[in-house]
């Protein structure tokens, strides 16, 4: 059973830079174990204990597995799995300025 797994940039160090790899398994848990056998360490970046890490999203054919059966989601030959770490944060410039602050100047500067 061949399943294409799309790897995000941050995890490509585990796949020698590959953007996508093939794996196999009847469930997502089996697939992650299979990937870890060939790309040591990748599973622990995706799974915490027996559940998906809170800030890692996994999609089966564009459907979030958390709305399916999570790590027990069943897979089929030809499926596509996408691993996508959540993105947080933002630019300091995007934060609102205090009242009276002038852009580009620090307090006390002329």
């Amino acid at each position: 059973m061949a399943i294409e797994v799309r790897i995000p940039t941050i995890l490509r160090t585990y796949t020698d830079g590959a953007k996508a790899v093939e794996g196999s398994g009847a469930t997502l848990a089996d697939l992650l174990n299979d990937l870890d056998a060939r790309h040591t360490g990748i599973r622990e970046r995706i799974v915490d204990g027996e559940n998906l890490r809170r800030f890692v999203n996994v999609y089966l054919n564009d459907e979030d597995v958390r709305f399916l059966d999570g790590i027990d989601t069943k897979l089929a030959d030809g499926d596509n799995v996408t691993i996508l770490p959540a993105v947080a944060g933002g630019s300091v410039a995007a934060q609102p300025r205090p009242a009276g602050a002038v852009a580009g100047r620090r307090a006390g500067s002329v």
Side-chain angles (χ1 to χ4, degrees):
M1 175 188 314
I3 299 166
E4 180 186 47
V5 183
R6 295 181 194 122
I7 308 294
T9 304
I10 197 163
L11 295 179
R12 291 182 191 161
T13 55
Y14 296 95
T15 61
D16 296 323
K19 294 178 182 181
V21 297
E22 280 196 0
S24 63
T27 65
L28 180 58
D30 295 339
L31 174 68
L32 294 174
N33 289 333
D34 179 62
L35 287 179
D36 200 60
R38 287 182 280 130
H39 307 286
T40 306
I42 196 167
R43 184 181 186 281
E44 78 177 51
R45 303 295 294 169
I46 301 166
V47 176
D48 185 17
E50 294 302 315
N51 295 307
L52 293 172
R53 288 189 176 274
R54 185 173 173 198
F55 296 108
V56 176
N57 299 309
V58 178
Y59 297 89
L60 170 62
N61 303 323
D62 299 324
E63 182 78 25
D64 189 334
V65 299
R66 286 189 171 92
F67 296 105
L68 300 173
D69 290 323
I71 201 160
D72 296 319
T73 299
K74 298 209 180 317
L75 305 176
D77 191 31
D79 278 343
N80 291 302
V81 171
T82 302
I83 301 167
L84 189 65
V87 178
S91 170
V92 174
Q95 296 178 358
R97 292 186 193 97
V102 177
R105 292 191 181 177
R106 294 185 180 194
S109 67
V110 179

